Amino acid sequence: MFELIRAQSQTRRRALRTTTATACALYPAVGAPSSDPRGVIIGREIYSGKAYIYDPFILYDPSARERLPSGHALVLGKSGFGKSSLEKCYVLRQLRFRDRSFAILDAQGEDGVGEWDGIARAVGVTPIRLVYGGEESEGVRLNPLDRRIPAQHQFKILCSMVEIVGGPLTSESEFALSVAHAAARDRSAAEDRVAVLSDIHDALTNPEPAMLGKREVGVEDMVRWGQPASLAMDQLCSNTRDLAGLFNGPTTPGIDLDARLIVFDLTKLPREGEAMPLLMSVIGPWLRYAWIKPGDTTKRTLIVEEAWHILSHRPVARLFDEFVRYGRRLGLSFWAILHHLGDLMVDEAPEAAAILKLTATRVLYHMDKAEADVTADYLQLPDWAREALADGASRCSPGRAVWQVGNRMHLVEHIRSAIEIELTNTNRRMTEKPSEVTNTDVLIPVNRRVVER
């Protein structure tokens, strides 16, 4: 009997064919699928240990594993957890590609210079410093009426600047400003020079009669209608005002917009008040038409530190919304760097909400519990990401962040080389022995002018 049983062959189960999506339930400890292997290495995925690679331009390509709808990114989190290190390492690694160009709006710093000063000079770039209060010998000027900006966009900038300084414009004031803009352009063309804000101010305070349809508007009405705009222009043009020197006059010559890394040092502008949002209202369209070259193949990235200056002011958000909305056509990736999403009145600014929704990549560092809940609710994050954001001691400790790239989410640890640690160190004032970069020869100069070190 036993011999008969022993002689029988073992039964075999027929192989079951299934999909990888279904098979994932059999291996719950395996990490999520990786992103596209092309691009620059950010670090490693915490749960799988695999290298984490990211490039928004490659992920936008139809050949990517999961195509992104845009190349724009939002970076959020408390100070000291790695936001600045990520941005700087990302730029340094991307600069090794031949067709990458970066513009940085550097609003933070120490010792009178921006955080990007060390990196800019290490790769042979001199930061462009904008100075508050008209100290022309130290800073540069950006003219919102620069000829490289089309006339219709010049008028949009003027409206935004007036609204930031003096509040919303009435239809009558907007009409008076449009007439003054046309008069300033005609006057400067007749004198063979570039129009400046002083021309707008003169045309508003000493107007000519204008036609509104078939009705003639007299000088008295034009003066009265244009008074809110003329008062705003006075703050921007008068040498006795704090905002003098930033915008009134031709653009400072010598700004190299062909360099692959352009750093605007905004640290001497006050974070509170009107100077910063005014600059943002000018610099967005100015870069749009002076920095981005039509027809070339260069992929450009604009990184804005303290981006709440854009998102919390409707006139500025309105200009940047148009700038960001056409990022696909311009070959542009826009990075907004913020500390707290809850500080923004997003519901009251539809343009700011539109900019946030256009970001297909979200990099989220540690936040307080209340802020993590606000962010998770707005961005519709899963429960594990909500819990990770509030865990600053383990899952989202310094250098670790939740990456939401399209529909995929990973917990990623940013890894830096020794020289990157030196270049991205923003804690020198809090350490006993400040360290200096001792070997920057491995970095490649990104423009034709190399600063001697």
Side-chain angles (χ1 to χ4, degrees):
M1 185 68 177
F2 291 105
E3 293 178 357
L4 290 175
I5 295 176
R6 206 176 283 122
Q8 291 179 355
S9 60
Q10 285 187 323
T11 59
R12 293 183 180 178
R13 291 187 177 181
R14 183 179 299 175
L16 176 64
R17 295 184 178 275
T18 182
T19 64
T20 54
T22 306
C24 286
L26 302 175
Y27 304 96
V30 175
S34 298
S35 58
D36 198 285
R38 299 169 295 171
V40 296
I41 295 178
I42 301 298
R44 67 180 182 93
E45 300 173 23
I46 295 299
Y47 295 128
S48 68
K50 294 178 291 187
Y52 191 78
I53 300 172
Y54 175 77
D55 186 299
F57 300 106
I58 290 176
L59 293 177
Y60 185 82
D61 192 274
S63 64
R65 288 182 178 177
E66 183 175 351
R67 184 181 180 185
L68 291 181
S70 78
H72 307 315
L74 173 68
V75 182
L76 282 173
K78 293 180 67 174
S79 297
F81 281 82
K83 296 191 307 297
S84 295
S85 297
L86 172 69
E87 307 159 38
K88 295 167 186 173
C89 291
Y90 173 77
V91 171
L92 288 173
R93 296 170 189 180
Q94 281 276 20
L95 284 174
R96 295 188 177 274
F97 288 79
R98 293 183 179 179
D99 59 346
R100 299 291 191 265
S101 178
F102 293 86
I104 315 295
L105 305 188
D106 185 6
Q108 301 188 71
E110 58 184 22
D111 297 329
V113 296
E115 282 190 355
W116 287 80
D117 187 79
I119 287 181
R121 297 187 181 279
V123 297
V125 170
T126 302
I128 301 170
R129 183 163 300 164
L130 290 102
V131 177
Y132 183 61
E135 300 176 32
E136 299 182 16
S137 60
E138 297 183 27
V140 300
R141 182 192 301 112
L142 298 178
N143 182 14
L145 303 180
D146 194 291
R147 288 175 177 170
R148 288 171 285 190
I149 303 175
Q152 65 271 22
H153 288 278
Q154 291 179 8
F155 181 66
K156 291 180 181 179
I157 298 173
L158 290 173
C159 291
S160 297
M161 297 178 78
V162 172
E163 288 181 5
I164 291 170
V165 175
L169 282 173
T170 64
S171 56
E172 290 87 355
S173 296
E174 189 171 337
F175 172 75
L177 183 59
S178 67
V179 173
H181 180 221
R185 293 178 61 235
D186 292 341
R187 175 183 174 183
S188 61
E191 298 176 0
D192 193 23
R193 60 176 177 82
V194 178
V196 295
L197 291 184
S198 297
D199 297 323
I200 305 290
H201 191 206
D202 293 343
L204 285 167
T205 54
N206 186 25
E208 297 288 338
M211 297 300 297
L212 179 59
K214 294 184 178 181
R215 171 196 167 192
E216 181 180 278
V217 181
V219 173
E220 292 184 1
D221 286 336
M222 290 296 295
V223 171
R224 179 166 51 86
W225 289 3
Q227 185 174 6
S230 61
L231 290 174
M233 287 295 114
D234 182 69
Q235 292 195 38
L236 298 171
C237 299
S238 176
N239 292 330
T240 60
R241 300 298 188 100
D242 290 336
L243 297 175
L246 276 174
F247 311 108
N248 184 32
T251 299
T252 303
I255 298 178
D256 184 9
L257 294 179
D258 293 324
R260 294 181 58 202
L261 175 61
I262 306 169
V263 177
F264 290 90
D265 187 344
L266 315 180
T267 55
K268 289 205 171 182
L269 300 181
R271 295 189 183 184
E272 305 296 334
E274 301 162 341
M276 192 69 77
L278 280 170
L279 176 66
M280 295 296 182
S281 70
V282 174
I283 206 168
W286 196 80
L287 287 174
R288 161 69 175 86
Y289 294 100
W291 175 46
I292 297 177
K293 308 296 191 300
D296 67 3
T297 60
T298 300
K299 308 296 188 297
R300 292 178 169 85
T301 300
L302 173 62
I303 297 178
V304 182
E305 302 273 5
E306 301 288 340
W308 64 272
H309 291 293
I310 294 174
L311 301 178
S312 60
H313 293 82
R314 287 199 67 183
V316 187
R318 190 164 55 239
L319 290 172
F320 269 82
D321 176 44
E322 182 178 0
F323 188 34
V324 172
R325 192 175 296 277
Y326 297 107
R328 174 183 60 85
R329 186 183 307 169
L330 302 173
L332 176 73
S333 173
F334 171 77
W335 285 46
I337 316 299
L338 298 169
H339 288 91
H340 306 293
L341 188 61
D343 293 341
L344 302 175
M345 302 299 180
V346 178
D347 295 336
E348 300 178 7
E351 296 86 0
I355 292 176
L356 292 178
K357 290 179 181 178
L358 286 172
T359 57
T361 299
R362 282 81 179 260
V363 185
L364 310 173
Y365 287 86
H366 168 62
M367 309 171 190
D368 293 332
K369 181 64 169 62
E371 183 65 26
D373 289 338
V374 171
T375 303
D377 291 339
Y378 186 83
L379 300 180
Q380 299 181 349
L381 302 179
D383 290 340
W384 74 264
R386 181 194 300 263
E387 296 172 359
L389 292 179
D391 184 5
S394 178
R395 283 171 287 182
C396 276
S397 58
R400 293 184 175 187
V402 174
W403 281 67
Q404 182 185 29
V405 181
N407 294 324
R408 299 189 179 192
M409 298 193 69
H410 299 88
L411 187 60
V412 179
E413 181 181 19
H414 176 213
I415 298 176
R416 297 177 291 169
S417 66
I419 190 170
E420 287 174 338
I421 292 175
E422 294 286 352
L423 286 171
T424 60
N425 180 15
T426 57
N427 299 317
R428 290 185 173 87
R429 297 296 295 271
M430 292 295 292
T431 56
E432 294 183 359
K433 296 180 179 180
S435 56
E436 298 180 355
V437 177
T438 57
N439 181 16
T440 57
D441 294 336
V442 296
L443 301 179
I444 303 173
V446 295
N447 68 351
R448 296 181 297 273
R449 298 171 298 152
V450 179
V451 177
E452 293 183 0
R453 300 187 293 277

